[in-house]
Amino acid sequence: TGSSDPYCIVKIDNEAIIRTATVWKTLSPFWGEEYEVHLQPTFHSISIYVMDEDALSRDDVIGKVCITRDTLAEHPKGYSGWVSLSEVDPDEEVQGEIHLRVEVLGSPGGRRLLRCSVLEAR
């Protein structure tokens, strides 16, 4: 039909911790959702998967973004902006980008929170 039913899954070190709402029948979804979750001090990366919900079969992966611990360390006030999606399956071509805001709150030695804002995609 030329449109998708997108939603996002946020994973920390490959463990799914957040799922956004599905936005039906669009190629330019707006979520505007913000989450705060506890972050283990030993985490390596945060991955955001953009998915296409499918009622009749397995949901398709549209693309993903991976933000490493080192990238977040380089941006102490948080990482924000449009990020191009990369492919999950090397045989699939991926087009699109997602608007994110990701920041780590708290001290490196103490309890830390991940604040993740999944804003929109195109």
Side-chain angles (χ1 to χ4, degrees):
T1 63
S3 67
S4 296
D5 301 316
Y7 66 93
C8 294
I9 295 176
V10 178
K11 295 183 177 184
I12 297 177
D13 293 337
N14 235 5
E15 181 184 344
I17 55 162
I18 296 166
R19 184 196 192 279
T20 68
T22 300
V23 180
W24 303 102
K25 295 183 172 53
T26 185
L27 293 177
S28 298
F30 176 81
W31 291 284
E33 298 184 21
E34 182 175 286
Y35 301 91
E36 287 187 4
V37 295
H38 292 286
L39 191 59
Q40 296 297 323
T42 57
F43 87 98
H44 296 288
S45 67
I46 299 160
S47 301
I48 297 96
Y49 289 79
V50 180
M51 307 291 292
D52 180 15
E53 189 165 322
D54 193 337
L56 301 177
S57 65
R58 201 165 142 215
D59 294 354
D60 297 319
V61 179
I62 296 172
K64 77 171 187 172
V65 169
C66 186
I67 301 170
T68 65
R69 177 181 175 147
D70 293 340
T71 301
L72 286 174
E74 292 168 13
H75 299 86
K77 294 187 179 192
Y79 184 85
S80 180
W82 286 95
V83 185
S84 294
L85 297 175
S86 60
E87 73 277 345
V88 172
D89 180 347
D91 296 331
E92 295 286 326
E93 180 185 344
V94 173
Q95 295 180 341
E97 53 189 355
I98 187 166
H99 190 192
L100 300 170
R101 198 167 44 239
V102 178
E103 60 186 313
V104 177
L105 309 171
S107 61
R111 268 179 56 150
R112 297 192 299 169
L113 286 176
L114 169 71
R115 179 181 292 155
C116 180
S117 301
V118 181
L119 302 172
E120 58 187 320
R122 56 188 178 202

